[in-house]
Every structure is written in structure tokens, then in C-alpha cells.
Amino acid sequence: MKKKFLALALSLVMALSLAACGGSQEEAPAEEGGETPAVEEGGSDVITVGFAQVGHESDWRTASTKSAQDVFSAENGYELAFVDCDNDSAKQLEAVRNFIQQGVDYIIIDPIVSTGWDAVLTECEDAGIPVIVIDRTIDDSDKYVSWVGSDFKVEGLACGEWLKAYAADKGITEINALVIEGSTGASATIGRTEGFKEVADREGWTILDSQNGDFTEAGGQEVMESYCQSYEGQFNVVICQNDNEAYGAMTAMDAAGVSYGVDGDVIIVSFDSNKPAVQHVLEGNMNATFECNPMAAPFVDEVIQQLEAGETPEKEIYMEESWFAAEDIVSEITVNGEAMPVIHVTQEVLDARPY
Ligand code: GZL
């Protein structure tokens, strides 16, 4: 800790001298993107954490960032160096290398994509800085202490199993689906796509198209506008791989005169289940939403405290998630042999949503 403390003090002196000669490290609030300055000088018992966040592309991401800022605070004994990597993998690798230079005590990574990580994780290992991965996965290296996140394939499977049961109850015998994917190469995209496709293939459904909406509202709207032209009258299901894409898709379908939701011609679902999406489900604009829990920071705090105490944390820590539907039709689904409840959204359910 003292070694790193000295390195931090040196980087603080460098930052201050940089500022004195006109350079500066603008401190940008996380919700606008940007980065906090190098970890400032703290007491010797302050735990310094560098967090290389995906970006600021969605409501889910905002909730994830807020969770980290709430947990890794001064009053909790932390100094947080936060970098919003703006969905740019090169920037994310650079941020991690800067954390190594700053000599932080721990590095948290939410990897934009799941490959290209072994070299920089080896540098973290050589520097003696433990890495904790959250949310998305790193698939080409295991040089990190723990991963905290969700099973994205289970989310995709749950969506498929719910749709199967819902369609059966509604007497819908033919499914022609359009998928608006998340960012290419993200494990969330890969898992949700795989899971839903596994059910679709088993049930003989048709996936008419599957294009990248980049987890953004604009991306969802753009892809859906194209779909409304290319597949007019051919589709009855839209799978949006996050809430923000669904908001954009609804805007596009409104403009194209396509009805959707509980009383519409098209079933629309999303992943994440942020409060605005659950509100849309309550109002019947969306048929269902499948939660992806963004509150990983408390679990990371637990991992760090275990490491500080000389204990060995779990390598994989999965977070609890729920599935929400507008109508009280499908109350339970089975995924990988496990029975899972489907929550009928009421005002009480909406009010209880934490993010
Ligand atoms: C999933 C997360 C995804 C969310 C999107 O764990 O990585 O990225 O589903 C976010 O909202 O942009």
C-alpha cells in the first residue's frame, strides 16, 4: 500500500504541475462521460480503485456507474478513479494501463468486448494489482480475481421460454421475430442472442433479422425504422436487447403505424428492466422485460474486503434477477430445468423497483 501511496503522491504532483503549466484533467461527472483525475492523495488506509466503465450508452449503464460511485466513496474508505470509456475498447485498455501507472490498489473493468484482454491483465498481474471484472465477461484471459454479473444466456432463454408460453396462451402459432441486438462483441449481446435463438430453433420460429442497435435508443430507432420498411406486415415479435433500444423501436413503430404491446399486433420485449421499462410494461406498451441487475458494486466491495482480509473470494458471483410481464398469464417458466417466477407488473411492483 505504501508503494502505491508514493506513486499516487508522485502522480498528484505531476498532475498539479501539469495544471500549473496550462494542462488539466477535467473532472467530468460520470453521467456526462469523461474521467475523474488521477487518484488523489489519500490516507495510507484509503483503498484506491480504478474503474474502467463501458461508457454512458444506456439507463442501465448510468445505474451501474451510480452504484460504483455510491459504494466506492470517501466515507466508505475509498478513492475512486473513474473513466467512462465511451464504448471505445482502445480507450478502455489505455485507462487500465493508466491505473497501473497511478498504482491503484484495485482495478475494476466492465469490458466493452470480451476479447483482447490477456496482455493488459498480465501487466496488472505483474504490477501486483488485483482486477475485478463486472457485468460483461472477459473470454480470453482468467487473470482476474472475480467476475460479478449476470448469466446473459439465461436471460435470452428466459425470454424465449416466456414467449413460448405467452404465444400458446394467446393462440399464436407462428412467430416471426426481429431482433435488435446490443453492441457487437459484448458478452451481453452474445448471450442474449444465443439463448433466444436456442428456443427459437427448438420451437421452429423464424428470426427474420438480427441487427446491432448498440444498446442505445437512437440505435434501436434506426434499426426498427429499417425493419418497418424491409419487413412490413411480416413480423409479430420484436426482441430488444436492452430497454433503450425498445424505447427507440416504439418510436419507430409509432411513426410507421405499427401497433405493439398488449393490445397491439406486435409483441415487444426488452432486457435490463430499468424503472421506465417496467412502467411501459405496466402501461401495456411492452409485453415483458427481463432484468439485468446493474448493482454490482456492493458485491465488488465484498470481494475487496475479503482480499484485504487475506481471504479468497469466489471466482464467479452471479446476481439475482427477475422477469416481468404486463399480463398475469405466464406465472412461471422453466430455464435449464429451474422453475423461475414471472412477475405480473402492478403499480406496487413498479414502485418497488430500485433503479
Ligand atoms: C448488460 C450490460 C448491457 C445492458 C445495456 O449486462 O452490459 O450494456 O444490457 C448496457 O443496457 O448498455
Side-chain angles (χ1 to χ4, degrees), residues 3-4 50-52 92-109 116-133 138 141-145:
K3 167 183 65 93
K4 291 172 188 161
F51 177 20
Q92 189 164 52
L93 294 173
E94 181 189 0
V96 173
R97 291 191 163 101
N98 286 341
F99 291 148
I100 295 172
Q101 291 307 314
Q102 293 173 30
V104 297
D105 295 313
Y106 296 92
I107 292 174
I108 301 171
I109 301 170
W117 285 101
D118 194 57
V120 76
L121 292 183
T122 304
E123 293 165 35
C124 293
E125 193 174 64
D126 294 347
I129 301 176
V131 173
I132 299 152
V133 180
I138 286 178
S141 176
D142 65 355
K143 294 180 181 121
Y144 52 86
V145 174

Side-chain angles (χ1 to χ4, degrees), residues 232-255:
E232 185 180 356
Q234 299 174 47
F235 63 94
N236 59 354
V237 174
V238 177
I239 308 291
C240 305
Q241 289 192 349
N242 85 331
D243 298 334
N244 297 80
E245 290 176 343
Y247 309 152
M250 287 190 277
T251 301
M253 285 194 279
D254 287 341

Side-chain angles (χ1 to χ4, degrees), residues 57-58 60-61 135-136 152 188 192 215 241-242 272 292:
E57 74 286 355
S58 64
W60 188 99
R61 190 65 53 201
D135 177 29
R136 300 181 187 175
F152 303 119
R192 290 168 189 164
F215 285 135
Q241 289 192 349
N242 85 331
D272 285 352
C292 181

Side-chain angles (χ1 to χ4, degrees), residues 161-171 262 267 287 327 329-330:
E161 297 299 349
W162 170 85
L163 179 59
K164 177 192 171 194
Y166 181 75
D169 183 272
K170 291 284 186 178
V262 168
I267 295 165
N287 299 81
E327 298 157 278
I329 293 175
V330 180

